[in-house]
């Protein structure tokens, strides 16, 4: 029992260190390696997918969109400068025309709702405004039920970014935070 207790205490200590701030980065002894690169969790609205920094370089993130007009995650956390590959899968049955989903990562300062309105007018371009320019950091193609699409990009500088689905009306429900640490 004593050993189990000790292990628990150590785990707690490790968790606390892992949650500590960036200054820990320079102290080799306190560097904690977190087994897998990405972590999948239950499909709840409060889901977060968090990547740890490791030597693999490419951070693979997954996101699902459903016929209920919902993403299965509302937050991602990655390290600044990571190479990110995000794969969006449409787990529903509905067509791209009726229930299309994409992943659009917006730059800071871009208003989600305003962008959504502009995107709604860009049906002929997969609901990506032709003049989006720097407003978009990365986006996938628009997909329908049973399809998936990936996009690879370099994580932008530290900060919080919004991600949305730019299909008309979907930004109201399909949105989340992309946090770069
Ligand atoms: Co959508």
């Amino acid at each position: 029992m004593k050993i189990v207790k000790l292990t628990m205490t150590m785990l707690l200590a490790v968790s606390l260190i892992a949650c500590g701030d960036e200054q820990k980065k320079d102290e080799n002894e306190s560097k904690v390696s977190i087994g897998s690169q990405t972590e999948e969790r239950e499909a709840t609205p409060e889901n977060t997918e968090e990547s740890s920094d490791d030597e693999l370089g490419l951070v693979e993130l997954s996101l699902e969109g459903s016929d209920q007009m919902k993403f299965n995650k509302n937050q991602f956390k990655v390290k600044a400068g990571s190479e990110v590959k995000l794969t969006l899968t449409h787990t529903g049955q509905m067509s791209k025309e009726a229930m299309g989903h994409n992943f659009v990562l917006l730059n800071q300062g871009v208003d989600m709702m305003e962008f959504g309105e502009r995107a709604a007018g860009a049906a002929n371009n997969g609901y990506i405004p032709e003049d989006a320019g720097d407003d978009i950091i990365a986006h996938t193609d628009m997909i329908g039920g049973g399809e998936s699409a990936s996009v690879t990009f370099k994580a932008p500088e530290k900060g919080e970014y919004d991600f949305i689905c730019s299909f008309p009306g979907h930004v109201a429900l399909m949105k989340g935070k992309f946090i770069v640490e």
Side-chain angles (χ1 to χ4, degrees):
M1 279 307 280
K2 207 162 194 181
I3 291 166
V4 172
K5 254 188 182 168
L6 255 178
T7 310
M8 290 300 284
T9 310
M10 282 170 70
L11 275 175
L12 186 63
V14 167
S15 309
L16 287 173
I17 290 164
C19 293
D21 56 24
E22 290 296 311
Q23 72 197 39
K24 296 283 184 196
K25 239 180 175 174
D26 295 328
E27 300 168 27
N28 275 338
E29 302 95 79
S30 65
K31 186 148 191 188
V32 176
S33 135
I34 305 170
S36 64
Q37 188 182 4
T38 57
E39 202 175 356
E40 300 286 29
R41 299 187 188 173
E42 289 292 306
T44 67
E46 294 306 314
N47 249 341
T48 299
E49 179 165 352
E50 187 168 357
S51 70
S52 61
D53 61 339
D54 55 25
E55 299 74 35
L56 294 176
L58 186 69
V59 176
E60 295 196 55
L61 304 176
S62 62
L63 179 64
E64 291 176 4
S66 69
D67 279 349
Q68 284 70 48
M69 205 199 292
K70 280 182 180 165
F71 283 136
N72 70 330
K73 289 170 188 162
N74 63 5
Q75 188 168 284
F76 290 99
K77 283 185 182 175
V78 303
K79 303 291 180 193
S82 322
E83 194 75 1
V84 177
K85 181 183 181 184
L86 184 136
T87 301
L88 171 68
T89 303
H90 193 316
T91 57
Q93 319 280 320
M94 294 172 72
S95 70
K96 182 164 75 173
E97 290 71 26
M99 183 55 72
H101 298 319
N102 64 1
F103 165 88
V104 181
L105 181 59
L106 298 175
N107 226 323
Q108 285 175 324
V110 178
D111 184 273
M112 279 189 290
M113 296 315 225
E114 199 184 329
F115 183 89
E117 281 171 30
R118 280 164 59 205
N124 57 357
N125 196 43
Y127 297 108
I128 298 296
E130 308 252 15
D131 62 351
D134 288 344
D135 289 353
I136 295 180
I137 294 168
H139 72 90
T140 66
D141 288 341
M142 187 70 68
I143 56 172
E147 297 178 326
S148 62
S150 295
V151 61
T152 302
F153 58 97
K154 194 177 167 87
E157 62 185 44
K158 288 182 187 183
E160 286 193 18
Y161 301 79
D162 292 314
F163 70 85
I164 63 167
C165 169
S166 69
F167 191 88
H170 287 199
V171 64
L173 288 175
M174 303 189 76
K175 59 188 173 187
K177 291 283 181 197
F178 191 93
I179 298 170
V180 183
E181 301 179 309

